[in-house]
Amino acid sequence: MGQYLFRSLGVAALAVLVSACSSTAEKPQPSPLPTFTAQVQVNKVWSAKVGEVGTPLTVAVLGQRVAVASSTGDLALLDAQSGADVWRLNLKDRIQAGVGSDGQRFAVVTQNNELIAVEAGREIWRQKLQAGTYTAPLVAGGRVFALTADRTVLAFDGASGQRLWAQQRNVDPLVLSQAGVLAAWNDTLLVGVEGRLLGLHPGTGLPRWESVVGSSRGTNEVERLVDLVAGLSRLGNSVCARSFQTTVTCVDASRGTVQWTRASQGHTGLDGDDSRIYGTESDSKVNAWNRQNGQPAWTQEALRFRGLGAPLVMGRTLVLGDDAGLLHFLAREDGKVLQRLSTDGSAIAARPVLAGQTLVVVNKSGQITGYRME
C-alpha cells in the first residue's frame, strides 16, 4: 500500500516514518480464486526482460511502443508488436520514478534525486532535485515536469535541462511514498497536492483553479493523509481522481468544479470509459461508478485480499494484476470474471497498459510480457 514520508520542518531531507501496510494484526487470507467459464481468449505473444522492479514504475505508452524502467537502472524502449528493443540504456544509477515520455524524450528520477532526460537512447542531461520523488516525470510541450515529495512542482526545458520555474505549497509535511498526480489536460498541468487537484499554467506554474478531491477526516497525521494517487481517468472535460483511502471524485477540468464525489477506501488509481469509472478498494473489492453522477454500478467481491492493483479498460474487459502475478479479466458491464492468466509468479509491478492491440504487463522480477486478445 506504500509508505509515508515525513519532511522535518525547515529541513529538506526526507525520512521514512511508517508503512501504510504496517499492522500488528495478521493480514486477511486472500479469497479462494473463483471458478469461471472463459469468455475471452488471451494469448501470450512475446516476452522480454529488464532488471528487478522494486518500486512501482510507470510504463509509458507511445503508440505501438512502450518505455519501461527497472529499479536497477535499465531504461528501454520496446516495440509492443514484437517485444524487440528499439534501444536500451543502463543509467548506472538506481531508478526511483518513471518513465515519462512524449515519444521524443524520456525522463526518470534516480534514488539520488537526479532527474535524467534521455533522447534516442542517449542521456542528454541531469538535474539534481531538492527532494525525492515517487511520481513519474511528465514530458510535454517541450518541457519536463517533476513533482517532489516536499510538494514542489518544477519545470525544465526539455532540450537543455534549464530550470524554468518552481512552485511549492506550504502544507502538511506527511506525504505518501507512492506515485502522485502529475498529468496534462489540454494546455493545463494537473497536479495533486494533499487532497486537492490543481490546474496550473504549464508556462509559469501559476494556478488556474483548484478542486478539493478528498478532505482530512482523521485525528492524527496518518489518518489525515489525503494525497491524490497516480492514475486519472480523463474523458473530454471529465477528470476523475482518487484521494488516498478517502474518496473518488470527478472534476470538470475546464473550470475546476467538482461534478461528484463518493467515499472510497482505496489506494490505487482509476480507469474509465464513457459511461463508468472503475477502481479497486484496499481490500481488493472492485467498484464501478456511473461517470455522470457517481452512482454505484456494481461491486465485485470475489477477489478480496488478493492485492489487486489499478484496473485497465481493455475492450469489454477490465484487466487487473495481483500480488501473486495473476491477471484477472472482468466484464466492464457487471464485474463478472471472464478469464484469468498466470504470469511468472512474482507480483505485477505496475498497472498493465495497452499499446495498440497488445497488452503489456511488467512483473517485479523484471519480466515483461505482451498479450493479445482474440
Side-chain angles (χ1 to χ4, degrees):
M1 198 185 293
Q3 294 173 318
Y4 302 115
L5 296 175
F6 181 79
R7 184 172 65 88
S8 301
L9 296 176
V11 181
L14 295 169
V16 174
L17 178 65
V18 64
S19 170
C21 295
S22 62
S23 173
T24 55
E26 291 186 9
K27 294 179 68 173
Q29 290 297 310
S31 296
L33 288 169
T35 58
F36 67 96
T37 300
Q39 297 186 35
V40 293
Q41 180 68 34
V42 185
N43 298 318
K44 177 180 174 180
V45 292
W46 57 260
S47 64
K49 193 81 173 178
V50 289
E52 182 178 304
V53 182
T55 58
L57 293 169
T58 303
V59 180
V61 177
L62 311 156
Q64 296 285 349
R65 295 175 171 180
V66 291
V68 298
S70 74
S71 299
T72 54
D74 298 304
L75 179 60
L77 182 64
L78 306 181
D79 182 323
Q81 291 278 13
S82 64
D85 285 1
V86 178
W87 52 256
R88 184 177 289 243
L89 174 68
N90 188 281
L91 296 170
K92 305 188 187 310
D93 288 284
R94 293 186 66 83
I95 296 173
Q96 185 67 54
V99 181
S101 179
D102 62 357
Q104 177 185 357
R105 298 188 182 99
F106 303 78
V108 297
V109 180
T110 71
Q111 291 186 4
N112 293 324
N113 303 344
E114 287 187 308
L115 173 64
I116 301 178
V118 171
E119 188 170 346
R122 181 178 62 87
E123 181 182 323
I124 57 173
W125 54 261
R126 292 189 180 209
Q127 281 283 4
K128 185 74 172 180
L129 302 177
Q130 64 189 37
T133 179
Y134 286 83
T135 302
L138 172 67
V139 185
R143 298 179 175 89
V144 178
F145 302 94
L147 172 64
T148 57
D150 62 354
R151 296 188 174 97
T152 300
V153 188
L154 304 105
F156 300 86
D157 180 87
S160 67
Q162 178 185 359
R163 196 174 89 169
L164 303 175
W165 55 259
Q167 294 285 345
Q168 183 177 21
R169 284 288 182 108
N170 186 19
V171 288
D172 194 321
L174 197 64
V175 297
L176 278 176
S177 65
Q178 69 178 69
V181 169
L182 182 63
W185 176 85
N186 291 346
D187 65 344
T188 297
L189 182 65
L190 302 177
V191 181
V193 177
E194 288 194 299
R196 297 175 182 272
L197 182 64
L198 309 183
L200 305 183
H201 190 296
T204 64
L206 296 176
R208 288 174 165 166
W209 51 259
E210 68 177 63
S211 298
V212 176
V213 174
S215 299
S216 297
R217 299 180 182 179
T219 58
N220 59 53
E221 284 186 317
V222 174
E223 292 175 345
R224 289 197 301 269
L225 191 61
V226 290
D227 278 322
L228 305 192
V229 301
L232 301 177
S233 174
R234 288 166 285 182
L235 181 68
N237 292 342
S238 172
V239 174
C240 303
R242 181 189 291 281
S243 175
F244 177 76
Q245 298 287 29
T246 308
T247 57
V248 167
T249 299
C250 286
V251 173
D252 182 338
S254 65
R255 297 176 294 174
T257 54
V258 172
Q259 297 171 315
W260 56 262
T261 187
R262 292 289 178 267
S264 179
Q265 297 292 315
H267 63 274
T268 59
L270 309 170
D271 204 359
D273 52 34
D274 57 359
S275 60
R276 291 183 180 141
I277 299 296
Y278 308 96
T280 305
E281 302 291 277
S282 291
D283 64 358
S284 294
K285 287 187 296 188
V286 185
N287 286 331
W289 299 271
N290 184 293
R291 187 174 201 118
Q292 184 175 11
N293 57 25
Q295 290 300 313
W298 53 259
T299 297
Q300 170 59 273
E301 298 193 28
L303 301 171
R304 291 189 70 191
F305 307 115
R306 302 204 68 87
L308 295 182
L312 168 73
V313 171
M314 179 182 178
R316 67 187 182 102
T317 72
L318 295 181
V319 186
L320 304 102
D322 73 13
D323 284 346
L326 297 175
L327 289 174
H328 305 272
F329 295 77
L330 308 183
R332 283 164 53 189
E333 182 61 30
D334 56 11
K336 181 180 178 181
V337 179
L338 302 180
Q339 181 59 280
R340 182 168 60 243
L341 299 178
S342 178
T343 57
D344 72 350
S346 67
I348 307 297
R351 189 187 78 160
V353 298
L354 188 62
Q357 299 300 312
T358 306
L359 174 69
V360 180
V361 179
V362 179
N363 292 77
K364 285 193 173 183
S365 64
Q367 179 78 19
I368 312 167
T369 312
Y371 298 90
R372 292 203 187 101
M373 186 178 292
E374 297 296 328

